[in-house]
Amino acid sequence: MPKAYWIPHLDVSNQEKFQAYRSTADAWHKTNGSRLLARGGRREAVEGKMRARNVLREFDSFDVAVAAYSTPEYTRAHALREGHAACDFLIVEGYDGPQPPAVGPQPAPAKLKGYWVAHVDVTDMEGYKQYMAANQKPFGMFGARYLVRAGRCEVTEGRQRSRTVALEFPSYQAALDCYRSADYQAARALRLGKGEIDLVILEGYDGN
């Protein structure tokens, strides 16, 4: 069964009030079996517009992730950030299909992984398919693994584009290097004009 992910993007207007939300939510998350993959580390928004804070949290399944959002415990936490942060919040199904095949020597793994989170509105699917074929080489060169690839999605707050993709890399540096590589930039050129994209690169969570 594929995993699932909470992906909130936030702009905080009142840090003190937001901290009350985060402390309450964190205490509940320790009991519900979810796993925090990215929050509060280095980030680089490389395309489009992304909010200042970005979170990636893993659940055992889409149904579990959707149900968790509506629990009394999270509802109480959520109420603490209302009016203190603007949030686009989506719940997405994980991907369990084929992964990009490894190409050449792989990047050394780091203590903290790196992630791409991309939201896309495709305007030319046939043209976009050329990009999807071409990006497999750079993804394979830099050790990328799909976590999310256009599975089921529920937008619970705010708004989001129609398609979401999330990739995990062996390190934040590998995630950056993949995007900056000549091979990826050649693939990227194939999707220009084929869709609108917001893409942020995140460093994994360090436990603090």
Side-chain angles (χ1 to χ4, degrees), residues 7 23 27 50-51 59 65 72 89 94 107 117 119 141 146 187 205-206:
I7 309 180
S23 298
M50 299 294 285
R51 294 192 184 277
F59 289 79
F89 195 126
V117 177
H119 305 295
M141 292 170 62
Y146 289 109
Y205 178 62
D206 66 359

Side-chain angles (χ1 to χ4, degrees), residues 47-110:
E47 295 189 50
K49 295 181 179 180
M50 299 294 285
R51 294 192 184 277
R53 291 175 180 255
N54 305 272
V55 178
L56 184 62
R57 181 177 287 276
E58 185 178 77
F59 289 79
D60 285 340
S61 72
F62 185 71
D63 289 343
V64 168
V66 170
Y69 184 85
S70 299
T71 59
E73 293 84 357
Y74 187 69
T75 298
R76 284 194 292 270
H78 180 197
L80 295 174
R81 70 166 159 81
E82 289 185 353
H84 308 303
C87 182
D88 300 314
F89 195 126
L90 63 159
I91 302 171
V92 289
E93 185 176 35
Y95 175 77
D96 64 355
Q99 295 290 348
V103 177
Q106 297 293 284

